Amino acid sequence: MQKYQAQEDSLSKMLSENEKEKKLPSSAYDYASFALGQMAELRCPTSKIKYQFSGMTNEQLDEFVVGNQVKRRALALKLLTQPQKDRQVRAHQDMYRWYDALGRNNEAREQTEILSKLLGTTDPNVLHRQMIGC
């Protein structure tokens, strides 16, 4: 989806110019993280398609690769601006759900391992609980 590339490049350039020196307020990074997450969802729409790695077309795989880079950048920004453990847990749970919805078992497992270390448990009901509320 080349139509999103210009927006991703523009946002990435702005972030790269500012994140090393933290020139922007943390809320700006939060908004950028949200925007990047939405861009990843546009590339790999989890609400419409359940991908299976072996069944991905080359185009879907290409979109996943770029979407994954964008989503991981969003995660890095969340972790940079939200050092509180509960927010880190939510960020990794979001990544887990994205990978799980796309059928990316290895990546989902990686997030599960991170969550297990953060929460000190292997109980899937704790690791992958759904958020309730607004």
Side-chain angles (χ1 to χ4, degrees):
M1 292 191 188
Q2 295 294 337
K3 64 182 177 178
Y4 302 117
Q5 194 63 50
Q7 291 91 337
E8 290 167 6
D9 290 345
S10 176
L11 184 56
S12 182
K13 181 180 178 195
M14 183 274 303
L15 289 170
S16 294
E17 291 171 353
N18 292 287
E19 67 189 326
K20 287 181 184 160
E21 298 174 24
K22 290 193 179 180
K23 293 180 182 177
L24 299 174
S26 64
S27 61
Y29 294 109
D30 292 340
Y31 292 128
S33 176
F34 176 78
L36 289 168
Q38 294 302 305
M39 289 177 183
E41 184 65 31
L42 287 171
R43 287 188 174 274
C44 300
T46 58
S47 60
K48 295 180 182 178
I49 299 170
K50 173 83 175 184
Y51 294 110
Q52 293 299 326
F53 181 67
S54 61
M56 280 184 159
T57 65
N58 286 339
E59 183 180 346
Q60 288 172 325
L61 187 55
D62 290 346
E63 288 299 322
F64 170 76
V65 168
V66 176
N68 189 41
Q69 291 170 343
V70 172
K71 190 79 170 171
R72 285 188 176 269
R73 181 82 184 268
L75 175 65
L77 287 175
K78 283 182 188 177
L79 298 178
L80 175 72
T81 62
Q82 301 177 7
Q84 303 90 341
K85 184 177 170 181
D86 62 323
R87 293 184 180 207
Q88 290 184 10
V89 167
R90 278 188 257 154
H92 285 288
Q93 285 172 331
D94 177 56
M95 285 295 287
Y96 167 82
R97 283 189 289 277
W98 191 69
Y99 287 133
D100 185 56
L102 294 173
R104 302 297 299 204
N105 298 332
N106 289 339
E107 291 88 346
R109 192 173 311 116
E110 175 186 290
Q111 293 303 310
T112 297
E113 290 171 6
I114 293 168
L115 286 164
S116 181
K117 288 177 185 172
L118 284 170
L119 295 170
T121 183
T122 57
D123 182 352
N125 294 323
V126 174
L127 297 175
H128 308 303
R129 73 180 158 171
Q130 295 293 318
M131 298 304 297
I132 299 173
C134 40

